Amino acid sequence: MLEVNNFFIMQELEPFIDRVDAGRHLAGALRHYAERDDVLVLALPRGGVPVAFPIAQALHAELDLMLVRKLGLPNQPEFAMGAIGSGGVCVLQPGVPGLMGVTQAEVDAVIAAEQSELARRERHYRGERPPARLAGRCVILVDDGVATGSTMLAAVEVARRQRPSRLVLAVPVAAQDALQVLRGVADEVACPLAPMRFRAVGQWYRRFEQTDDEEVQSLVAQAWTHQGHAASQPYLKEPR
């Protein structure tokens, strides 16, 4: 593994087995944060949670959630035109509205729908449990990959507003252009895989099944129980 300009880049460019395998690779790149009492690992649900869980375990760090939502183009929802996060944060790609013909009204409609889903996930995952305190802490933001960077940029904005002492971004794979942007907004970036030819995050996993709410709940409940929190309250089922 090479360290180049604050990136960790795997020379062999082999896909990860799954998100857990990816998390273990990242944990190795982040081992200098192990055993510190100020470290907080924040996972972006859903896909970032199974990546973040082995990182938090390896570092003996607290695990919590950073809730953000991608804003997909109306006719191409897999293509991010931006992202939103808790506290009213909204990050749009340059040229939006207007990008690929999307109108302001369409942007507003997508934002409204994703704000509703963001609120649902807050209730579903947390219940009455408040978010972890970020102020003065070393915060490690984790997702399962970065394509455009919009979602992670929204997460960075949410985190920065709470004044962490250090902000680290940890992703198993990312497009190089997006990675350069993220490097400019973080104190450190850990990324084991930064391929020159990047088409999609899932391309760099042998198994990339969708992470569901139940897996998120199970992993975070384990982490919160280990950390001494009462984990039963956040996981009351609600109609979807």
Side-chain angles (χ1 to χ4, degrees), residues 128-195:
E128 300 301 319
R129 182 181 183 274
R133 175 185 59 84
L134 275 62
R137 303 182 70 176
C138 174
V139 173
I140 302 175
L141 289 174
V142 181
D143 204 355
D144 59 5
V146 168
T148 67
S150 295
T151 303
M152 187 61 84
L153 284 172
V156 167
E157 180 66 21
V158 173
R160 285 292 191 199
R161 290 186 181 189
Q162 300 177 62
R163 300 184 181 278
S165 61
R166 185 171 181 80
L167 188 60
V168 180
L169 308 186
V171 291
V173 60
Q176 291 190 1
D177 289 349
L179 204 55
Q180 290 287 355
V181 173
L182 294 175
R183 182 171 176 260
V185 300
D187 299 304
E188 181 180 344
V189 174
C191 182
L193 201 58

Side-chain angles (χ1 to χ4, degrees), residues 2-9 179-180 183 188-189:
L2 297 178
E3 181 179 357
V4 181
N5 294 328
N6 216 23
F7 300 169
F8 291 90
I9 304 176
L179 204 55
Q180 290 287 355
R183 182 171 176 260
E188 181 180 344
V189 174

